[in-house]
C-alpha cells in the first residue's frame, strides 16, 4: 500500500470516529431521537469497504455503518451532512428524516439502506446482484452484516442462492464478538463464521478487521474477484465494538482494555504511518480536520427544519394517495 | 380462395365447426398463464421466480410453457427459500426490474412475512420515495379441497394492516387476466391471491392484452334490497345465493371487491346506502379480518341509510381441518350467505 492511500484511510477512519463520538454527545443531549448504535472500534473495516465500492455498486449498510454512509457521500459527490441530518430526523436528511439511523439510503452513491430487522437484506442483496448479472453489468452488491445475522435463516438462504447462481455478492461480516449481549461462540456453532460458510463452496476468508492495511487489501481483492465474474465472496472481519449494551458495559475489564488500548484501529494506523515517517503533527491535523467537519455537520443537522407534515403520508403507495388526518 | 385451392380434388365434406368453438372458454389458470406470457413479452425487465415454476410449470400449472418460451434466466426455479425469493424480488425491483414471484401456497407466506411486511411494503415510504417495489407475489390461497391446516388458508387478513401493499383478489378468469396484467404494470407491490377453487372456473377470456383497474370493485349483480360484498370464491357463492333469494322475492346486489387493499370504498358505500341492508362475506376467520373492516366502515359511513346491522359471513375461529366434513363446518358456504341475506332482509 502506498503511503498516500494509508493516509487517506487514516483520514476516513477519523471521520467515522469523530462522526460517532459527535453523535454520542448529541444523543446524550437528547438531540438524536430513537436508538444509537455506533461503529466505534470498527473504523478500519468500514473505511476499507467504503474505499473500494463505486457509486454504481450497491451496499446494504448495517446499523453501525453511519461512517460508511457518510464516506460514500463524500466519495461519490453526495453531502455527508445529509447523513447526519437524517439521524436527527430532519427535512435535509437523505430520506427527509423518514428513515433515520436504521434506514438511511441514497442510491445515487450506492447506499441501498439498512433494514432494521438485522440481516433481512441478506435476501434483498440477491436481487440487486441478480439484476446486475442478468444485465451483464460488472457491479458488486455488498451486504454488510454483523455476526448476529449469522443466526438468521435468510443468512443461509442467501449464501446458498448466491452460490448456485454465481451472483456478484460481497458478504462483509463484521464479527465484533457479540450479538447485543450474546457472545459469538455461544450463539453460533463456531466463533469463526468462516467455518460455517466454507461449505457453500465459494471464496471465503477471515481478516483482521482492526488492521486497516489488511482489511483494505482483502476488500480490494474480493471486489476484483467478484467483478471478474468469479461469483460471490465472503469476508469475515474479526473486530470488537466499543459500545456496550444499552445499560452500559457488560464485558470483562481486561477484554475492554485490550481492544481499546492495544487494538484500536486508529492507533494501529497511526503506528503504521509513523513507521513510514509521517510525523505527529500531520496525524493530529487529520484528527482535528475530521472533528471540524463533524461539528459543521452537527450544526447543519441542528439548524435544519423538521420534515414537512405532508411527508407523514407521502409515498405510502406510488399509485394512491393516503389521506392525512 | 386461390386458383390452386380450387384445382385440388374435392375432399370429403366435413361437419362444420360449431360457432361456440371459436370462442373457446379459458380456465382461470389459462387466463393467468396467458397474462404472464403477454406481460413477459411486453416487459423486458420482468422475470418469474419461484419453486417448481420452470420445467414443472408451477404446482397449479400457471407458468406452464413459459420456460420453453423465455428461458431459464427469466423463468427461474429456486430452492425452498421463500424469504430469499421475495428478497430477490425486492432487490431486483429496487434497481428497476419487474419480478413476479410465485409462493406455491399462501400459507407459506409466513416464511417470508418479514420480507413482505417490513421490506417490500415499506421500501417506497421509508426511503422517501427513492425506491419503488414494482413486484407481484402470486399465491394460491383458500380452502375447500381437503388441503388441511397449511394448504388452505385465506391470508388477506394477515396483510390488511400493512400500509404499502396492494392486495388483489380476482373472482373469475376475465378479471384474473386483466388484474394480473394491471398488477405487473403497477409500480406498487402487489399480493395477488388466486383462490384454488377458482382455478378450474371457465369464461370467454379475450385473447388480447387488456388491464382491469386496481382499486376498483365491480357490481357483479345489480339488486335493490340487500348488498353482498365479497371477493374471490365468495363471489360465485354470493351470486348463487342471490339467485336463490330472487326466487323468494329478495333482490340482491353483489359487489365483487377485486382489490382488497386499497379497496373501492366508494362503490361499497354507494351500494350499502342504496339497499340499506348489507352482508359481507369472507372465507377467513371473523376476528380482525376483511369482514370486520368492511362492517365497521359501512356502519360508520352509512349509519343513516342502514335499516339493520351489517351481517358478517366468515370462517369459524378455528384452523382449517383436513377432514372434508370438518372443513365444511369451518369454512363458510353458499348456505351461510343465503341465511345471512334472509337475516338482513328481515329489517
Amino acid at each position: 500500500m502506498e503511503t498516500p492511500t494509508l493516509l487517506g484511510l487514516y483520514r476516513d477512519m477519523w471521520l467515522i470516529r469523530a462522526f460517532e463520538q459527535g453523535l454520542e454527545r448529541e444523543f446524550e443531549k437528547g438531540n438524536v431521537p430513537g436508538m444509537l448504535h455506533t461503529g466505534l472500534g470498527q473504523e478500519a473495516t468500514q473505511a476499507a469497504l467504503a474505499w473500494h465500492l463505486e457509486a454504481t455498486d450497491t451496499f446494504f449498510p448495517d446499523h453501525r455503518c453511519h461512517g460508511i454512509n457518510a464516506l460514500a457521500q463524500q466519495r461519490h459527490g453526495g453531502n455527508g451532512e445529509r447523513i447526519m441530518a437524517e439521524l436527527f430526523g430532519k427535512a435535509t436528511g437523505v430520506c427527509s428524516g423518514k428513515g433515520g439511523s436504521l434506514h438511511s439510503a441514497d442510491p445515487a452513491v450506492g447506499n441501498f439502506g439498512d433494514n432494521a430487522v438485522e440481516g433481512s437484506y441478506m435476501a434483498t442483496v440477491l436481487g440487486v446482484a441478480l439484476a446486475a448479472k442478468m444485465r451483464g453489468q460488472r457491479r458488486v452488491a455488498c451486504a454488510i452484516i454483523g455476526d448476529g445475522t449469522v443466526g438468521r435463516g435468510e443468512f443461509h438462504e442467501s449464501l446458498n442462492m448466491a452460490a448456485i447462481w454465481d451472483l456478484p455478492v460481497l458478504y462483509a461480516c463484521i464479527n465484533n464478538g457479540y450479538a447485543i449481549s450474546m457472545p459469538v461462540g455461544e450463539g453460533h456453532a463456531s466463533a469463526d463464521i468462516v467455518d460455517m460458510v466454507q461449505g457453500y463452496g465459494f471464496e471465503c476468508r477471515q481478516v483482521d478487521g482492526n488492521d486497516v492495511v489488511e482489511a483494505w487489501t482483502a476488500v480490494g481483492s474480493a471486489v476484483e474477484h467478484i467483478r471478474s465474474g468469479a461469483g460471490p465472496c465472503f469476508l469475515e472481519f474479526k473486530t470488537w465494538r466499543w459500545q456496550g449494551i444499552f445499560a452500559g458495559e457488560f464485558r470483562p475489564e481486561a477484554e475492554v482494555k485490550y481492544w481499546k488500548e492495544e487494538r484500536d484501529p486508529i492507533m494501529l494506523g497511526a503506528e503504521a504511518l509513523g513507521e513510514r515517517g509521517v510525523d505527529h503533527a500531520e496525524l493530529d491535523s487529520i484528527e482535528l480536520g475530521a472533528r471540524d467537519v463533524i461539528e459543521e455537520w452537527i450544526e447543519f443537522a441542528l439548524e435544519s427544519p423538521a420534515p414537512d407534515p405532508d411527508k407523514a403520508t407521502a409515498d405510502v403507495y406510488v399509485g394512491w394517495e393516503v389521506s392525512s388526518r | 380462395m386461390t386458383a390452386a385451392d380450387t384445382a385440388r380434388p374435392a375432399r370429403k365434406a366435413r361437419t362444420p365447426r360449431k360457432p361456440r368453438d371459436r370462442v373457446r372458454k379459458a380456465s382461470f389458470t389459462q387466463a393467468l398463464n396467458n397474462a404472464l406470457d403477454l406481460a413477459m413479452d411486453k416487459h423486458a425487465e420482468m422475470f418469474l421466480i419461484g419453486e417448481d415454476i420452470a420445467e414443472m410449470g408451477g404446482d397449479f400449472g400457471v407458468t406452464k410453457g413459459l420456460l420453453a418460451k423465455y428461458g431459464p434466466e427469466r423463468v427461474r426455479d429456486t430452492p425452498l427459500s421463500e424469504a430469499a425469493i421475495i428478497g430477490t424480488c425486492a432487490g431486483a425491483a429496487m434497481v428497476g426490474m419487474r419480478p413476479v414471484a410465485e409462493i406455491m401456497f399462501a400459507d407459506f407466506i409466513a416464511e417470508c412475512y418479514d420480507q413482505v411486511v417490513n421490506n417490500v411494503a415499506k421500501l417506497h415510504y421509508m426511503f422517501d420515495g427513492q425506491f419503488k417495489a414494482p413486484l407481484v407475489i402470486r399465491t394460491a390461497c383458500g380452502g375447500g379441497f381437503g388441503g388441511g391446516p397449511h394448504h388452505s388458508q385465506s391470508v388477506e387478513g394477515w396483510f390488511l394492516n400493512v400500509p404499502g401493499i396492494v392486495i388483489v383478489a380476482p373472482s373469475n378468469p376475465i378479471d384474473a387476466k386483466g388484474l394480473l396484467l394491471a398488477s405487473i404494470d403497477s409500480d406498487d407491490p402487489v399480493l395477488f391471491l388466486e383462490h384454488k377453487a377458482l382455478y378450474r372456473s371457465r369464461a370467454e377470456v379475450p385473447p388480447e392484452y387488456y388491464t382491469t383497474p386496481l382499486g376498483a370493485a365491480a357490481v357483479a349483480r345489480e339488486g335493490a334490497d340487500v348488498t353482498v360484498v365479497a371477493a374471490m370464491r365468495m363471489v360465485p357463492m354470493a351470486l348463487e345465493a342471490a339467485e336463490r333469494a330472487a326466487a323468494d322475492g329478495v333482490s340482491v346486489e353483489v359487489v365483487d371487491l377485486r382489490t382488497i387493499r386499497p379497496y373501492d370504498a366508494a362503490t361499497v358505500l354507494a351500494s350499502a346506502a342504496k339497499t340499506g341492508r348489507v352482508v359481507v362475506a369472507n372465507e377467513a376467520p371473523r376476528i380482525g379480518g376483511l369482514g370486520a373492516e368492511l362492517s365497521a366502515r359501512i356502519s360508520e359511513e352509512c349509519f343513516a341509510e342502514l335499516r339493520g346491522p351489517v351481517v358478517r359471513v366468515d370462517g369459524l375461529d378455528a384452523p382449517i381441518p383436513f377432514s372434508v366434513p370438518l372443513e365444511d363446518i369451518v369454512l363458510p358456504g353458499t348456505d351461510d350467505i343465503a341465511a345471512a341475506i334472509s337475516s338482513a332482509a328481515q329489517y
Side-chain angles (χ1 to χ4, degrees):
Chain A
M1 180 189 286
E2 307 278 329
T3 299
T5 305
L6 185 53
L7 268 172
L9 288 163
Y10 186 75
R11 189 177 297 114
D12 289 351
M13 289 198 289
W14 261 118
L15 190 92
I16 298 169
R17 179 154 303 176
F19 190 110
E20 300 291 37
Q21 288 177 336
L23 193 63
E24 272 185 337
R25 186 191 72 210
E26 294 303 311
F27 184 79
E28 277 158 27
K29 283 195 218 165
N31 290 331
V32 180
M35 296 157 285
L36 179 73
H37 311 91
T38 70
L40 292 170
Q42 303 177 179
E43 294 89 347
T45 304
Q46 296 196 4
L49 285 164
W51 189 285
H52 290 289
L53 294 170
E54 302 296 333
T56 46
D57 295 325
T58 292
F59 67 95
F60 291 88
D62 81 0
H63 56 300
R64 299 189 184 278
C65 282
H66 310 134
I68 295 187
N69 297 345
L71 289 176
Q73 298 285 326
Q74 278 198 327
R75 295 185 77 81
H76 305 304
N79 300 307
E81 65 266 33
R82 293 190 63 215
I83 294 292
M84 186 67 82
E86 185 64 31
L87 309 191
F88 283 63
K90 295 299 184 72
T92 52
V94 284
C95 297
S96 301
K98 287 170 78 170
S101 161
L102 298 174
H103 312 277
S104 303
D106 185 351
V109 303
N111 179 357
F112 273 39
D114 186 12
N115 180 319
V117 185
E118 286 306 319
S120 287
Y121 51 75
M122 283 293 282
T124 324
V125 73
L126 296 168
V128 176
L130 178 63
K133 193 174 183 200
M134 287 173 76
R135 290 163 169 167
Q137 298 163 327
R138 293 196 173 273
R139 292 181 179 179
V140 175
C142 176
I144 304 167
I145 56 168
D147 49 276
T149 290
V150 176
R152 292 286 311 276
E154 275 140 312
F155 176 86
H156 299 278
E157 290 188 18
S158 180
L159 297 186
N160 184 49
M161 274 164 71
I164 60 173
W165 291 346
D166 269 331
L167 296 180
V169 182
L170 171 57
Y171 296 104
C173 179
I174 300 181
N175 181 354
N176 64 20
Y178 297 88
I180 307 183
S181 67
M182 168 75 87
V184 61
E186 289 180 28
H188 305 310
S190 169
D192 295 308
I193 306 303
V194 285
D195 289 349
M196 300 169 71
V197 175
Q198 263 151 9
Y200 290 103
F202 52 78
E203 187 79 15
C204 162
R205 281 188 57 196
Q206 197 174 61
V207 182
D208 180 349
N210 283 30
D211 179 337
V212 76
V213 178
E214 187 179 330
W216 181 87
T217 307
V219 175
S221 54
V223 164
E224 200 177 319
H225 167 94
I226 294 163
R227 279 200 218 288
S228 76
C233 186
F234 189 100
L235 296 178
E236 175 189 4
F237 298 93
K238 285 278 200 182
T239 185
W240 193 84
R241 67 168 205 255
W242 283 18
Q243 192 180 25
I245 46 174
F246 318 110
E249 188 52 75
F250 66 106
R251 297 162 296 192
E253 205 181 311
E255 180 181 323
V256 175
K257 200 171 153 62
Y258 169 74
W259 284 97
K260 284 192 173 173
E261 293 177 14
E262 292 179 44
R263 300 288 298 143
D264 173 0
I266 291 188
M267 184 197 75
L268 296 175
E271 281 173 12
L273 284 165
E275 284 165 18
R276 292 167 183 242
V278 178
D279 63 25
H280 278 296
E282 184 167 0
L283 297 181
D284 288 347
S285 78
I286 286 175
E287 176 184 347
L288 291 175
R291 293 201 187 281
D292 285 348
V293 167
I294 295 307
E295 291 311 316
E296 281 171 27
W297 290 2
I298 288 172
E299 200 59 34
F300 172 79
L302 286 169
E303 286 172 5
S304 291
D308 190 301
D310 289 347
K311 281 282 182 187
T313 51
D315 297 320
V316 176
Y317 291 99
V318 178
W320 289 270
E321 297 280 326
V322 170
S323 57
S324 52
R325 210 165 259 123
Chain B
M1 269 195 178
T2 64
D5 287 331
T6 50
R8 281 182 184 164
R11 284 182 176 177
K12 260 187 177 176
R14 279 189 187 170
T15 318
R17 285 186 163 198
K18 289 176 192 164
R20 70 178 181 86
D21 281 357
R22 271 184 277 126
V23 281
R24 267 188 69 205
K25 288 184 174 180
S27 71
F28 194 92
T29 307
Q30 288 166 333
L32 293 171
N33 179 268
N34 177 228
L36 291 174
D37 188 6
L38 293 170
M40 285 285 272
D41 195 50
K42 177 186 173 189
H43 298 288
E45 70 277 20
M46 175 178 159
F47 65 90
L48 306 176
I49 182 169
E51 294 159 12
D52 305 298
I53 63 158
E55 190 63 44
M56 192 174 117
D59 222 26
F60 296 93
V62 175
T63 56
K64 219 170 192 170
L66 298 175
L67 172 68
K69 192 162 177 187
Y70 297 102
E73 277 288 293
R74 294 184 67 201
V75 183
R76 193 169 277 268
D77 267 343
T78 71
L80 306 190
S81 301
E82 284 82 5
I85 292 169
I86 302 307
T88 299
C89 291
M94 287 171 95
V95 291
M97 303 289 280
R98 208 166 273 274
V100 177
E102 175 173 307
I103 298 295
M104 193 181 282
F105 285 87
D107 315 65
F108 306 167
I109 285 186
E111 271 294 312
C112 50
Y113 195 68
D114 167 56
Q115 284 296 333
V116 179
V117 170
N118 284 320
N119 197 18
V120 166
K122 295 176 176 54
L123 268 180
H124 188 56
Y125 180 87
M126 70 182 172
F127 297 122
D128 196 31
Q130 294 181 101
F131 298 102
K132 288 176 189 165
L135 59 95
V136 178
I137 304 165
R138 296 181 33 248
T139 192
C141 69
F145 76 113
H150 292 167
H151 289 75
S152 306
Q153 294 173 87
S154 293
V155 302
E156 57 274 18
W158 301 1
F159 297 93
L160 272 177
N161 219 278
V162 180
I165 195 83
V166 179
I167 308 173
V168 175
S171 70
N172 63 72
I174 297 168
D175 283 352
K177 177 176 171 179
L179 288 169
L180 183 53
L181 284 166
S183 299
I184 295 166
D185 277 354
S186 166
D187 280 340
D188 286 303
V190 175
L191 176 66
F192 192 89
L193 301 175
E194 301 167 6
H195 197 295
K196 292 183 283 286
L198 298 173
Y199 275 135
R200 288 182 185 163
S201 63
R202 287 182 171 271
E204 287 172 18
V205 179
E208 71 274 10
Y209 186 101
Y210 65 91
T211 57
T212 303
L214 304 184
V219 176
R221 177 190 174 110
E222 285 195 28
D225 301 326
V226 178
T227 295
V228 181
V229 185
M232 295 186 280
R233 188 172 67 145
M234 291 288 106
V235 174
M237 285 178 171
L239 290 170
E240 198 190 322
E243 203 58 38
R244 286 194 213 166
D248 298 335
V250 178
S251 166
V252 175
E253 180 149 300
V254 177
V255 175
D256 179 353
L257 276 182
R258 302 200 293 191
T259 299
I260 288 175
R261 187 185 227 285
Y263 66 88
D264 181 356
T267 299
V268 170
L269 296 174
S271 181
K274 181 175 90 173
T275 62
R277 303 175 191 90
V278 185
V279 172
V280 293
N282 167 45
E283 190 173 309
R286 167 168 295 194
I287 296 173
L290 176 61
E293 162 59 23
L294 291 170
S295 174
R297 181 81 179 265
I298 293 164
S299 301
E300 270 176 353
E301 299 200 23
C302 299
F303 188 70
E305 292 91 348
L306 287 179
R307 293 159 180 265
V310 175
V311 183
R312 281 189 283 168
V313 177
D314 314 89
L316 299 184
D317 200 27
I320 299 170
F322 167 68
S323 172
V324 173
L326 292 181
E327 186 183 25
D328 285 346
I329 293 169
V330 170
L331 296 183
T334 308
D335 290 347
D336 299 299
I337 300 174
I341 290 169
S342 303
S343 163
Q346 286 172 1
Y347 292 96

